[in-house]
Amino acid sequence: MVDTAARRPLRADAQRNYDRVLAAAQKAFATHGAGASLEEIARRAGVGSATLHRHFPSRASLLRAVFRDRVEALCARAEEHALASEPGTALFSWLRDFNAYAAASRGLVASLLHDGRDTGLLEEDDDCVATITTAAGQLLRDAQQSGAVRPHIRTEDMLTLVSAISLATEGQDDGTQAARLLDIAIDGMRGASSSPSASTP
């Protein structure tokens, strides 16, 4: 993905340490937020603090790697849904994944913004934006071709809508309202093949 492509290849043992730190950071940030202890992350990864800082010189660099790793996982889910379900179901299932991703990633982005070097991360990280847009666009085109989604909907508008739902419901622990709003949005997207009322003016 983006982050690994930018790094020089590591020795096998170094790569294992990198992967362990990243996995431990994923769990720690999900549980304790972006301010999770780096020392605790190193301990959970089974490495020393020096090893963690060798791979990730700053908290921001670790947060950025976790953020981009989540993008990779989200796009992998798009492929899984496309293979497992009919086009409309695949798109709607992935939008729910994206809704959860947007909520989980907002704290990481906010923390990155605090250091002053990553203003507009979501907008300026062209690789991440392009990767998500490509995955979403393919699912949307397939769903539109099958008649499951209205033909006038654009990929960018769809992603903006889900992001706006996440932002509007930020701070709600159970995510119930976000899920309900997303269901309303999905109902509005449905095409003639998936909603009898969709073909009615």
Side-chain angles (χ1 to χ4, degrees):
M1 170 58 191
V2 180
D3 188 54
T4 54
R7 296 185 295 115
R8 289 181 296 189
L10 298 173
R11 298 191 319 270
D13 58 338
Q15 184 64 55
R16 282 193 298 271
N17 287 339
Y18 178 95
D19 293 340
R20 286 171 183 161
V21 170
L22 192 58
Q26 288 268 20
K27 294 178 181 178
F29 291 147
T31 303
H32 303 293
S37 165
L38 297 185
E39 290 73 17
E40 179 64 15
I41 290 173
R43 189 188 69 77
R44 288 181 177 272
V47 302
S49 293
T51 297
L52 182 150
H53 287 290
R54 185 160 54 248
H55 291 296
F56 304 100
S58 66
R59 177 180 296 273
S61 65
L62 180 55
L63 287 166
R64 194 178 300 111
V66 169
F67 174 77
R68 291 174 176 171
D69 196 60
R70 286 182 175 178
V71 170
E72 183 178 59
L74 178 68
C75 293
R77 289 291 291 161
E79 296 181 13
E80 292 170 8
H81 287 308
L83 291 172
S85 307
E86 59 87 17
T89 300
L91 174 64
F92 301 147
S93 296
W94 184 81
L95 286 177
R96 292 184 176 94
D97 291 340
F98 182 66
N99 192 36
Y101 157 84
S105 297
R106 191 165 302 284
L108 299 182
V109 175
S111 182
L112 284 165
L113 294 177
H114 289 163
D115 70 13
R117 294 193 299 273
D118 292 291
T119 302
L121 176 70
L122 283 173
E123 291 76 14
E124 294 179 6
D125 194 328
D126 292 337
D127 288 329
C128 288
V129 172
T131 301
I132 292 176
T133 302
T134 298
Q138 185 60 58
L139 289 174
L140 177 60
R141 284 190 295 274
D142 291 345
Q144 288 172 326
Q145 289 171 5
S146 74
V149 170
R150 295 174 183 270
H152 66 276
I153 295 171
R154 301 190 312 162
T155 304
E156 294 80 3
D157 295 338
M158 181 179 69
L159 295 179
T160 299
L161 177 60
V162 179
S163 296
I165 289 172
S166 172
L167 181 61
T169 57
E170 186 176 8
Q172 295 190 6
D173 294 337
D174 61 3
T176 302
Q177 186 180 23
R180 187 167 61 250
L181 291 174
L182 181 60
D183 284 341
I184 293 171
I186 287 174
D187 285 343
M189 293 172 56
R190 293 185 187 277
S193 72
S194 59
S195 174
S197 62
S199 58
T200 303

